[in-house]
Amino acid sequence: MDRPICFFSDYGYTDDFAGVCRAVIARLAPEIRVIDVTHGLPERDVLAGAVVLRNTLPYMPDRAVILAVVDPGVGGPRRPVALRSHGDRLFVGPDNGLLMHAVDLDGGADVACELDNQELWLTPLSATFHGRDIFAPAAARLAGGLKLEAAGTPVEPESLDRIDLPEPRRHRDGLTAIAVLVDRFGNVALNLRARDLERARLMDTVELLTNGERYHARVARTFASVRASDIVVLIDSYGQASVAVNNGSAAEVLGLDAGDEVRIRRLG
Amino acid sequence: MDRPICFFSDYGYTDDFAGVCRAVIARLAPEIRVIDVTHGLPERDVLAGAVVLRNTLPYMPDRAVILAVVDPGVGGPRRPVALRSHGDRLFVGPDNGLLMHAVDLDGGADVACELDNQELWLTPLSATFHGRDIFAPAAARLAGGLKLEAAGTPVEPESLDRIDLPEPRRHRDGLTAIAVLVDRFGNVALNLRARDLERARLMDTVELLTNGERYHARVARTFASVRASDIVVLIDSYGQASVAVNNGSAAEVLGLDAGDEVRIRRLG
Amino acid sequence: MDRPICFFSDYGYTDDFAGVCRAVIARLAPEIRVIDVTHGLPERDVLAGAVVLRNTLPYMPDRAVILAVVDPGVGGPRRPVALRSHGDRLFVGPDNGLLMHAVDLDGGADVACELDNQELWLTPLSATFHGRDIFAPAAARLAGGLKLEAAGTPVEPESLDRIDLPEPRRHRDGLTAIAVLVDRFGNVALNLRARDLERARLMDTVELLTNGERYHARVARTFASVRASDIVVLIDSYGQASVAVNNGSAAEVLGLDAGDEVRIRRLG
């Protein structure tokens, strides 16, 4: 039975990149449903892409083909791969760690292959657009029922490349976290879960230190529970601790970008 | 019979918000067609969203489910609601006035309910992403045939929250309007219809006063009828008077943002 | 048999323009598949749009209806047209040259008509949004099987408007090219193909002169073959020579915009 394709990339919306991939899929598999989850992944940021894939995986349809492209090494030695998770989703993309946190959440990789069956590639193969020439055609065929074994040479799941999420550092009076994602509202997701805040006893009121400045912040459950323009640390809808400003942009107010450190200290 | 879903939001295209809602709909109702009308509604601007919903309603398919999310009060006391118009479209979104101008244009609300049937929510319910956890699942079920009565507790349509469109002010020599929407071309839609211009006898040549500056402008039917870089007031494709610059951006030339006042005076 | 619609425009993602066209298509032809190839074409830039349509055409499904709107002359004398290529694709859009390079690549125009059958237009016809009122309804009907002859008055394919792609200028020591497209990664496509570089013996190392500055660049096949932040001239995935910076933005580094001249000189 056909599988839907859930398509993630850093292709953006200015260019034809994502749309041409959709056209390639429609050419090869006109009946397959494509769900564009996002093409706004931060450019060339494999870690940020891995976080978004992992965060959103539980909301993807069962049996989906996850087609994901953040591929700064395109044209180099990194392998194009496809794999099946124990949760029976298929994953297609570059072997650079992008897929693996989501795969782990879906039960880990069951079988994997390098997408080296050139009969499935578009020709001439470009050096810079494997989304169009390798990944989209593979996803289309796999969604239509092609067996993973027919897409290329088997590879050991253990050999697939991985990328580590940064770990928060623990201090006596709190934590040092890293900003991993900034959304359009200026909310800044940290590499912290609710339990990290709890264990560090960060609650009610805290101090944030970042880029040489100090800020008071509330630890809160919703925006609605604080005043306009207050800084809050809240557990966002994906379970991550995020810095937010009610009716404003935390990224702007605190001058935060992805990769910045944020020191969180207990107050009182 | 299945209804298509027309999806409007201020989720933007940088993040996964709209895409995850689409995935949730595909999970629950794989056969339902989703039309992404726009996710570029101005952030947290309920009034602008209400204007876009009303403007575009006549172009939406019959029997559509209008799923609309501009929800600055998410997590607070505002109710999540669904309602059926006399025109037999369904509307799903926050009870903050966003929906009601479009509903009025579609014959008014026939029946309404608060979306408090927790069996339809995704769990755990987040505090900040009701589009994913409440609105998208409700829209998917309603599109697939679930009766409105099964989605939650009935509420009186008269109790639904409303938001007033600003009224232009009339003067002896013209009008004072408000900029309500700025589009990507820099065209600035005002809270005026063609008849407002006619009644105020604003035609041919007028003076615009905004942000302390004066500009001459033509009242014209199309861009093609004026010279490049002329300022024009024209009736746009939704019947609104708009300030535009031929081959340029009126927002830039006149320094206009949504919410700004524009005084229009007769000349000659 | 139904044809899919491939939709290209400069409508952007901030506004409802593309989404309302999709809704109009869904109203008229609920079963037709719409592939949004891109709505990020440079605003009002007919030449850039023509290049993207031509580049991407080989990836569009067979028998597709190519619906394309970059229409700075909307409301003026330019005709709305539809035509069928010898490759049996249909093309719908303004008669301003936007379509013709793609049509030529698809075997040239077989038959063409002006979209003047007003029974197919939405009413009232707006002066500024023919995408919604003329082109989308025509594309929907044609995709559903309407004969081209029923969409309006036949016109001679030779009478359709054309727009010339700029030609590179040849020098003893190289070429002067024009930047035609800048993508989200800052890669700058030039009006050059691989064979132009070869004929001018531009290989290995070259000098780029643009906006009064000189840069050394490598002529390379992939990003992976050069060092981070090197400037490269490579043949992009559409066969165009492009200026790129590995892990960076060539548009920023070289200060390049569409329309700028780039002089390429042999070195050594």
Side-chain angles (χ1 to χ4, degrees):
Chain A
M1 204 188 77
D2 285 351
R3 294 169 180 263
I5 294 174
C6 296
F7 188 9
F8 297 73
S9 79
D10 67 346
Y11 286 149
Y13 296 89
T14 307
D15 305 294
D16 55 70
F17 305 136
V20 165
C21 293
R22 273 194 295 274
V24 165
I25 294 167
R27 242 180 113 79
L28 294 170
E31 300 306 321
I32 294 296
R33 178 167 185 158
V34 179
I35 299 152
D36 290 287
V37 185
T38 180
H39 301 295
L41 294 175
E43 291 169 38
R44 304 175 174 125
D45 186 340
V46 177
L47 178 64
V51 169
V52 170
L53 258 72
R54 181 205 61 188
N55 283 349
T56 57
L57 186 87
Y59 301 96
M60 297 300 114
D62 295 333
R63 303 187 66 258
V65 177
I66 308 294
L67 167 62
V69 189
V70 178
D71 196 11
V74 61
R78 73 92 191 90
R79 302 178 293 190
V81 293
L83 57 87
R84 187 172 61 233
S85 66
H86 284 286
D88 192 26
R89 289 193 181 90
L90 301 179
F91 294 76
V92 175
D95 179 26
N96 61 9
L98 175 67
L99 308 170
M100 298 310 291
H101 289 282
V103 169
D104 288 348
L105 191 64
D106 211 34
D110 183 6
V111 289
C113 73
E114 184 174 349
L115 292 169
D116 56 6
N117 178 354
Q118 301 188 15
E119 287 176 25
L120 303 182
W121 298 359
L122 299 198
T123 52
L125 177 70
S126 69
T128 54
F129 195 2
H130 289 186
R132 179 192 68 190
D133 298 340
I134 298 179
F135 299 126
R141 305 287 197 189
L142 292 167
L146 184 81
K147 287 198 185 310
L148 200 63
E149 293 68 22
T153 308
V155 300
E156 284 300 317
E158 293 72 30
S159 77
L160 295 167
D161 204 9
R162 292 184 159 272
I163 185 168
D164 287 334
L165 298 183
E167 282 289 313
R169 295 201 311 273
R170 282 155 230 292
H171 312 286
R172 259 184 319 178
D173 61 351
L175 294 164
T176 297
I178 307 277
V180 290
L181 274 174
V182 179
D183 76 19
R184 99 170 292 215
F185 299 99
N187 303 317
V188 180
L190 304 174
N191 61 334
L192 297 177
R193 315 291 295 182
R195 62 171 184 275
D196 297 311
L197 292 181
E198 286 157 20
R199 281 177 198 165
R201 284 174 295 127
L202 294 165
M203 54 191 84
D204 301 327
T205 310
V206 296
E207 188 180 62
L208 305 180
L209 292 89
T210 187
N211 297 318
E213 300 284 340
R214 287 158 194 273
Y215 306 88
H216 273 62
R218 297 275 315 273
V219 180
R221 192 170 163 275
T222 74
F223 287 113
S225 62
V226 297
R227 287 168 311 183
S229 74
D230 273 0
I231 299 172
V232 290
V233 177
L234 46 75
I235 302 304
D236 75 11
S237 60
Y238 292 114
Q240 305 165 118
S242 290
V243 185
V245 168
N246 194 9
N247 281 310
S249 163
E252 268 181 35
V253 170
L254 287 83
L256 278 173
D257 280 320
D260 287 350
E261 291 203 340
V262 182
R263 178 98 164 72
I264 313 179
R265 292 184 55 223
R266 273 193 300 280
L267 279 187
Chain B
M1 205 188 76
D2 286 351
R3 294 168 180 262
I5 294 174
C6 296
F7 188 10
F8 298 73
S9 79
D10 67 346
Y11 284 149
Y13 295 88
T14 307
D15 305 295
D16 55 69
F17 305 136
V20 166
C21 292
R22 273 194 294 274
V24 165
I25 293 167
R27 241 180 114 79
L28 294 170
E31 300 306 320
I32 294 296
R33 179 167 185 158
V34 179
I35 299 151
D36 290 288
V37 184
T38 180
H39 300 296
L41 295 174
E43 291 168 38
R44 304 176 175 122
D45 185 341
V46 177
L47 179 63
V51 168
V52 171
L53 259 71
R54 180 206 62 188
N55 283 350
T56 57
L57 186 86
Y59 301 95
M60 298 300 115
D62 295 332
R63 303 187 67 256
V65 177
I66 309 294
L67 167 63
V69 188
V70 179
D71 195 11
V74 61
R78 73 95 192 88
R79 301 178 293 190
V81 293
L83 57 87
R84 187 171 62 231
S85 66
H86 284 285
D88 193 25
R89 289 193 182 91
L90 301 179
F91 293 77
V92 175
D95 179 25
N96 62 9
L98 175 67
L99 308 171
M100 298 310 290
H101 289 281
V103 169
D104 288 348
L105 191 63
D106 210 35
D110 183 6
V111 289
C113 73
E114 183 174 351
L115 292 169
D116 57 6
N117 178 354
Q118 301 189 15
E119 287 177 25
L120 303 183
W121 297 359
L122 299 198
T123 51
L125 176 70
S126 69
T128 54
F129 195 2
H130 289 184
R132 180 191 68 191
D133 298 339
I134 298 180
F135 299 127
R141 304 288 196 189
L142 292 167
L146 184 81
K147 288 199 183 313
L148 200 65
E149 292 69 21
T153 308
V155 300
E156 285 300 318
E158 292 72 31
S159 77
L160 294 167
D161 205 10
R162 294 183 157 272
I163 185 169
D164 287 333
L165 298 183
E167 283 288 315
R169 295 201 310 273
R170 282 156 229 292
H171 311 287
R172 258 184 319 177
D173 62 351
L175 294 164
T176 296
I178 308 277
V180 290
L181 274 174
V182 178
D183 75 19
R184 103 171 288 218
F185 298 100
N187 303 317
V188 180
L190 305 174
N191 61 333
L192 297 176
R193 315 291 293 182
R195 63 171 182 274
D196 296 311
L197 292 181
E198 287 158 18
R199 279 178 199 163
R201 284 174 296 129
L202 294 166
M203 55 191 83
D204 300 326
T205 310
V206 296
E207 188 180 61
L208 305 181
L209 293 90
T210 185
N211 296 317
E213 299 285 339
R214 287 160 193 273
Y215 306 89
H216 273 63
R218 296 274 315 273
V219 180
R221 191 169 165 274
T222 74
F223 287 114
S225 61
V226 296
R227 288 167 310 184
S229 75
D230 272 1
I231 299 172
V232 290
V233 176
L234 46 73
I235 301 305
D236 74 12
S237 60
Y238 292 115
Q240 305 166 117
S242 290
V243 185
V245 169
N246 195 9
N247 282 310
S249 162
E252 267 181 36
V253 171
L254 288 83
L256 278 173
D257 280 321
D260 287 349
E261 291 203 340
V262 182
R263 178 98 164 72
I264 312 177
R265 290 184 55 222
R266 272 193 301 279
L267 278 187
Chain C
M1 205 188 74
D2 286 350
R3 294 169 181 261
I5 295 173
C6 296
F7 187 10
F8 298 73
S9 78
D10 69 345
Y11 285 149
Y13 295 88
T14 307
D15 304 295
D16 54 70
F17 305 134
V20 165
C21 293
R22 274 194 295 274
V24 165
I25 293 167
R27 241 180 113 80
L28 293 170
E31 300 306 321
I32 294 297
R33 178 165 184 160
V34 179
I35 298 151
D36 290 287
V37 185
T38 180
H39 300 295
L41 294 174
E43 290 169 39
R44 303 176 175 125
D45 186 340
V46 177
L47 178 64
V51 169
V52 171
L53 258 72
R54 181 205 61 188
N55 283 349
T56 57
L57 186 86
Y59 301 95
M60 298 300 114
D62 295 333
R63 304 187 68 255
V65 177
I66 308 294
L67 167 62
V69 189
V70 178
D71 196 10
V74 61
R78 73 93 191 88
R79 301 178 293 190
V81 293
L83 56 88
R84 187 172 61 232
S85 66
H86 284 285
D88 193 25
R89 290 194 181 89
L90 301 179
F91 294 76
V92 175
D95 179 26
N96 61 9
L98 175 67
L99 308 170
M100 298 310 291
H101 289 281
V103 169
D104 289 348
L105 191 64
D106 210 35
D110 183 7
V111 289
C113 73
E114 184 175 349
L115 292 169
D116 57 5
N117 178 353
Q118 300 189 15
E119 286 176 26
L120 302 183
W121 297 358
L122 299 198
T123 51
L125 176 70
S126 70
T128 54
F129 195 2
H130 289 185
R132 179 192 69 191
D133 298 339
I134 297 180
F135 298 126
R141 305 287 196 188
L142 292 167
L146 184 80
K147 288 197 185 312
L148 200 65
E149 293 69 22
T153 308
V155 299
E156 285 300 317
E158 293 72 30
S159 76
L160 295 168
D161 204 9
R162 292 184 159 272
I163 185 168
D164 287 333
L165 298 183
E167 283 288 316
R169 294 201 312 273
R170 283 156 229 292
H171 313 286
R172 259 182 319 178
D173 61 351
L175 294 165
T176 297
I178 308 276
V180 289
L181 273 174
V182 178
D183 76 18
R184 99 171 291 218
F185 298 100
N187 302 317
V188 180
L190 305 174
N191 60 334
L192 298 175
R193 316 290 294 182
R195 62 171 184 275
D196 297 311
L197 292 181
E198 287 157 19
R199 281 178 196 164
R201 285 174 294 130
L202 294 165
M203 54 191 83
D204 301 326
T205 311
V206 296
E207 189 180 62
L208 305 181
L209 293 89
T210 185
N211 296 318
E213 299 285 340
R214 287 160 193 273
Y215 306 88
H216 273 63
R218 296 275 314 276
V219 180
R221 191 168 165 274
T222 73
F223 286 114
S225 62
V226 296
R227 287 168 312 184
S229 75
D230 273 0
I231 299 173
V232 290
V233 176
L234 47 73
I235 302 304
D236 75 12
S237 60
Y238 292 115
Q240 306 166 117
S242 289
V243 185
V245 169
N246 194 9
N247 281 310
S249 163
E252 267 181 36
V253 170
L254 287 84
L256 279 172
D257 280 320
D260 287 350
E261 292 202 341
V262 182
R263 179 97 164 72
I264 312 180
R265 291 184 55 222
R266 273 192 302 279
L267 279 186

